[in-house]
Amino acid sequence: QTISIAKAGITTVLNSRTSVLAAANPPSGRYDDLKTAQDNIDLQTTILSRFDLIFIVKDIREYDQDKKIASHIIKVHASGAAASKSTNATEGENWLKRYIEYCRVTCHPQLSEKAAEMLQNKYVEIRQRMRQQANETGKAAAVPITVRQLEAIIRLSESLAKMRLTCVATQEHVEEAFRLFNVSTMDAARSGINEHLNLTPEIAQAEAQIKRRMGIGS
């Protein structure tokens, strides 16, 4: 993974040796289902294309879900306070961290021929589908599908194989990588309404009145 920099007369390519986890809010503060993905995300495509997975997390007001979230947050704070009082941590508490480090150091999987062929076919299929959608709507998707996304799916496939300490990334790993890509980045690109829908004046007026009376996301 590399990052291209062109600032202050300096043009170079630097290695990216770390993973980046970023979060951002929509321009209106809440995700508006009546807007397109481009309006809700409001980030340049050059920035979005650098992320392997893009998830849209909505704050849906549901009693059961709110109760689970509140319970989880309370437990996290309670366990954190208890852990801070204890100075002797057992080795079993960090087993997951040690396992991830072991996988990272000892396993370096490569794509098999069948997995590479499947990866190529699925990537071309997604590109054709996105091109067809752009031709029908007259506007490009909020999240572009480029070679960077292909590299992202390759990294996901190899990471899935690495988690199982497998030296070869198989078709199963590619399938799971595409599943993750579809439920994250592709869903983000397809989210929101189609702005090219022809709304009657009555519907547009009703929509404006509803927006004035109700908070976005309620």
Side-chain angles (χ1 to χ4, degrees):
Q1 181 76 348
T2 60
I3 297 177
S4 301
I5 296 178
K7 297 290 184 181
I10 300 175
T11 303
T12 184
V13 178
L14 301 177
N15 291 326
S16 176
R17 302 183 184 277
T18 184
S19 299
V20 177
L21 178 63
N25 289 326
S28 58
R30 281 185 176 273
Y31 194 88
D32 190 353
D33 291 324
L34 298 178
K35 293 182 179 179
T36 60
Q38 291 92 332
D39 296 331
N40 278 304
I41 297 176
D42 195 26
L43 286 176
Q44 296 180 358
T45 56
T46 54
I47 297 177
L48 292 176
S49 64
R50 296 181 182 274
F51 290 93
D52 292 351
L53 297 176
I54 300 174
F55 292 91
I56 293 179
V57 181
K58 300 180 183 179
D59 184 14
I60 301 175
R61 299 172 184 175
E62 293 182 0
Y63 176 80
D64 293 336
Q65 183 176 352
D66 292 343
K67 190 173 182 179
K68 290 180 181 179
I69 293 175
S71 176
H72 172 72
I73 293 175
I74 292 172
K75 288 180 180 179
V76 168
H77 282 274
S79 61
S84 61
K85 296 179 181 179
S86 177
T87 56
N88 297 325
T90 61
E91 294 183 359
E93 294 177 356
N94 296 323
W95 67 270
L96 181 58
K97 183 185 296 184
R98 296 200 306 271
Y99 178 75
I100 293 175
E101 183 64 24
Y102 177 78
C103 294
R104 183 180 299 171
V105 173
T106 60
C107 189
H108 303 283
Q110 299 291 330
L111 286 172
S112 66
E113 293 184 2
K114 291 185 178 180
E117 183 179 357
M118 175 186 290
L119 190 64
Q120 179 181 2
N121 294 335
K122 284 184 173 292
Y123 171 73
V124 172
E125 180 182 348
I126 291 178
R127 289 271 295 181
Q128 290 178 346
R129 189 162 62 246
M130 297 301 290
R131 187 182 300 110
Q132 181 180 358
Q133 179 182 347
N135 293 334
E136 293 176 354
T137 60
K139 192 172 184 179
V143 182
I145 306 301
T146 63
V147 177
R148 283 179 176 169
Q149 278 61 53
L150 176 60
E151 293 176 343
I153 298 172
I154 293 175
R155 285 192 293 270
L156 289 172
S157 303
E158 294 176 348
S159 298
L160 290 168
K162 188 179 295 185
M163 288 173 59
R164 298 184 178 182
L165 294 176
T166 304
C167 296
V168 178
T170 63
Q171 293 173 293
E172 180 183 359
H173 301 130
V174 173
E175 285 281 0
E176 178 62 16
F178 269 101
R179 188 192 69 81
L180 292 172
F181 186 75
N182 282 325
V183 300
S184 57
T185 304
M186 293 301 296
D187 279 355
R190 292 189 295 260
S191 64
I193 65 171
N194 187 350
E195 64 177 2
H196 296 277
L197 291 175
N198 295 323
L199 301 179
T200 63
E202 292 79 6
I203 296 178
Q205 183 179 1
E207 178 184 339
Q209 292 179 358
I210 292 174
K211 284 185 176 181
R212 286 197 298 267
R213 293 176 179 270
M214 299 180 62
I216 297 175
S218 60

